[in-house]
Amino acid sequence: MENQFNNITNNSSSSIEASNQFSNKKTNRLDSFVSISELQEEAKKLLPKMAYDYYASGSNDQITLAENENAFNRIKLVPRSLVDVSKVNTRTKLFGRDISTPILIAPWAMQKMASQRGEIDTVEASKEFNTIMTLSSLSTTSVEDLSNASNGNPGWFQLYVFKDRKISEELVKRAESIGFTALVLTVDTPFLGKRTADFKNSFKLPNGLSLKIFERLMLSNLDGGLNQYFATMIDPSLTWNDLKWLKSITKLPILVKGIMCPKDAELALQYGADGIIVSNHGGRQLDTCPSTIEVLPYISKVVQGKVPLILDGGIRRGTDVLKALAYGANAVCIGRPIIWGLSSGGKDGVLKVLSLLNSELQLAMALTGINKVSDVNNSIIWDQNKYIKL
Ligand SMILES: Cc1cc2nc3c(=O)[nH]c(=O)nc-3n(C[C@H](O)[C@H](O)[C@H](O)COP(=O)(O)O)c2cc1C
Ligand SMILES: CC(C)CC(=O)C(=O)O
């Protein structure tokens, strides 16, 4: 039991052990962390305040930020007994690709504030674990460097659409030509949410770092503040019709990220989205909107398995992943857990987070009598109304 659930049980475990041989000291230190919250504490100790605050913050009073996690804790799982769970497996398939876990890496900006190699560390870890990373439009590594570091298999590319459509078009074509296999169109950010800490800290990228996608455009300085920068560059007039435009310039599947309203899920399907990501941007956009897990069942009812459905926001335990799958998600993305892993130990730290959460998921599956991801359904969620007549 100990071995089965505390070790990484996917086909990448041997290479992870091999890479650890070369960084024994770091690995031993990482071994002592047993939860995402402990890694967050470590990251807080290691990061400059301005970077930690930028990564950790939500918008306004951070009600939704907290609610994303709290809502998971209110959902109860049903333990099941005497089911043969000797061969629990977290492998699954997404857009035809076999992956070792339904836990994917969400796009998050400016990773070189967390580790020297930033996005390169993250993509190497995602490859080694056989999962999918989405690169942010606002990354500190170029799409080309990320593609090279991953031998032409960098994962998915997240798109913020620029006011100058030609820039976006060129970016999409570049990403497509160098091996990205899907586009993630973020639709919850016509303007950036109000993150109080960033204003107080006068957030800017540390000297020596820049947003690589824009470097050529001489727009890499963030002195006016993130919100002003975002408002200058990104197009707030984007509408559903632009999804048609995007489909006309690429052959890649397009996932729409930031869906929180069932009506918008309907529109996303109507306008041809190939996948839907239920997300409130980690509580960083509209504060006091519901948690993502709360709205997931309603969106799942609209989507009805027509396209892959992914959830992000507040996942800190393997039991949270299981609850999202039970409510209809095919996979989840994690943002801050990866940030804390990368900040605490670079590539090994990201691997630590993936293996920690995946082994928790595997254990939770065993304790609810589930052997494979496709067998998860809402019968594992405690609902007293179901049992009231017994
Ligand atoms: C520091 C930070 C930067 C982010 N940058 C982006 C981004 O560039 N593009 C994007 O679509 N989402 C971005 N997100 C949102 C994440 O993709 C994801 O929706 C969110 O982090 C999920 O919540 P979690 O952090 O609780 O897992 C960012 C989130 C954080 C915390
Ligand atoms: C640089 C930001 C615009 C990236 C982002 O989406 C975020 O911080 O939430």
Side-chain angles (χ1 to χ4, degrees):
M1 189 75 172
E2 176 77 13
N3 272 350
Q4 187 182 350
F5 293 111
N6 292 340
N7 284 337
I8 304 148
T9 49
N10 66 24
N11 54 14
S12 60
S13 58
S14 54
S15 51
I16 291 167
E17 278 152 23
S19 84
N20 287 346
Q21 282 173 9
F22 302 105
S23 53
N24 264 338
K25 216 168 152 205
K26 201 198 271 177
T27 303
N28 292 340
R29 188 177 65 78
L30 286 172
D31 280 349
S32 66
F33 299 110
V34 295
S35 65
I36 300 301
S37 66
E38 287 187 5
L39 282 157
Q40 177 168 359
E41 279 169 34
E42 178 71 358
K44 190 171 184 179
K45 280 186 215 148
L46 296 171
L47 288 171
K49 179 175 162 44
M50 189 179 68
Y52 177 81
D53 285 354
Y54 165 68
Y55 288 150
S57 292
S59 55
N60 294 15
D61 298 310
Q62 310 191 112
I63 308 283
T64 300
L65 175 72
E67 190 57 12
N68 273 351
E69 291 185 37
N70 292 338
F72 275 115
N73 295 333
R74 290 195 295 269
I75 298 166
K76 308 291 180 244
L77 289 166
V78 183
R80 294 302 304 272
S81 308
L82 296 180
V83 179
D84 176 357
V85 285
S86 54
K87 293 193 183 77
V88 176
N89 194 322
T90 61
R91 259 176 243 142
T92 190
K93 216 176 189 146
L94 215 48
F95 293 103
R97 176 173 163 190
D98 288 310
I99 44 180
S100 64
T101 174
I103 305 170
L104 320 180
I105 300 179
W108 56 282
M110 302 185 253
Q111 302 194 6
K112 283 191 181 165
M113 292 196 304
S115 84
Q116 211 171 20
R117 298 167 79 237
E119 291 86 0
I120 302 275
D121 278 334
T122 309
V123 84
E124 284 180 358
S126 75
K127 249 199 121 184
E128 206 156 302
F129 206 80
N130 191 19
T131 186
I132 300 167
M133 161 182 169
T134 299
L135 181 73
S136 164
S137 270
L138 301 182
S139 77
T140 39
T141 301
S142 70
V143 283
E144 286 78 11
D145 286 349
L146 198 84
S147 178
N148 289 337
S150 61
N151 295 324
N153 191 7
W156 298 349
F157 181 71
Q158 179 264 327
L159 191 69
Y160 280 129
V161 175
F162 298 100
K163 286 180 178 164
D164 181 345
R165 289 296 161 87
K166 285 216 175 71
I167 300 176
S168 296
E169 201 166 326
E170 193 200 311
L171 190 54
V172 166
K173 295 207 157 124
R174 255 165 81 198
E176 186 167 353
S177 71
I178 56 178
F180 286 86
T181 54
L183 293 179
V184 172
L185 176 68
T186 299
V187 295
D188 57 11
T189 320
F191 297 98
L192 216 55
K194 180 176 171 181
R195 296 120 191 217
T196 314
D198 293 344
F199 287 102
K200 289 205 166 142
N201 295 333
S202 304
F203 176 84
K204 62 191 227 93
L205 262 175
N207 288 341
L209 295 186
S210 62
L211 299 180
K212 285 293 173 183
I213 281 158
F214 304 139
E215 227 171 23
R216 197 170 44 86
L217 304 166
M218 309 284 284
L219 283 164
S220 53
N221 113 37
L222 292 173
D223 279 350
L226 257 189
N227 290 58
Q228 190 193 329
Y229 180 78
F230 199 84
T232 313
M233 295 294 295
I234 305 302
D235 190 353
S237 73
L238 207 70
T239 68
W240 288 107
N241 276 325
D242 294 304
L243 186 52
K244 284 192 186 157
W245 158 77
L246 191 56
K247 283 174 77 74
S248 76
I249 62 164
T250 182
K251 291 196 182 64
L252 295 178
I254 299 168
L255 294 99
V256 176
K257 173 175 183 276
I259 297 297
M260 286 292 289
C261 172
K263 183 71 200 166
D264 281 343
E266 227 174 275
L267 287 164
L269 292 178
Q270 190 184 316
Y271 280 84
D274 302 291
I276 289 181
I277 306 182
V278 174
S279 172
N280 54 32
H281 215 104
R284 291 160 78 80
Q285 287 300 111
L286 181 64
D287 197 24
T288 70
C289 78
S291 67
T292 50
I293 191 66
E294 219 171 324
V295 302
L296 178 64
Y298 299 94
I299 294 192
S300 173
K301 213 169 155 187
V302 171
V303 174
Q304 288 188 339
K306 287 177 192 148
V307 297
L309 181 59
I310 298 173
L311 169 136
D312 76 26
I315 289 185
R316 303 293 180 264
R317 288 282 183 192
T319 44
D320 299 337
V321 181
L322 187 60
K323 288 169 188 177
L325 299 177
Y327 274 22
N330 301 102
V332 301
C333 289
I334 52 172
R336 291 187 188 82
I338 296 292
I339 304 183
W340 310 142
L342 186 67
S343 309
S344 301
K347 173 184 167 185
D348 287 341
V350 175
L351 283 168
K352 168 83 192 181
V353 165
L354 290 169
S355 65
L356 193 153
L357 282 178
N358 200 52
S359 52
E360 283 185 3
L361 167 64
Q362 197 172 24
L363 180 56
M365 285 168 72
L367 299 182
T368 51
I370 302 279
N371 276 295
K372 52 184 199 293
V373 168
S374 56
D375 286 347
V376 180
N377 61 47
N378 68 5
S379 68
I380 60 168
I381 303 289
W382 174 254
D383 173 359
Q384 68 183 28
N385 295 325
K386 263 195 212 158
Y387 297 101
I388 226 148
K389 292 188 221 96
L390 291 182

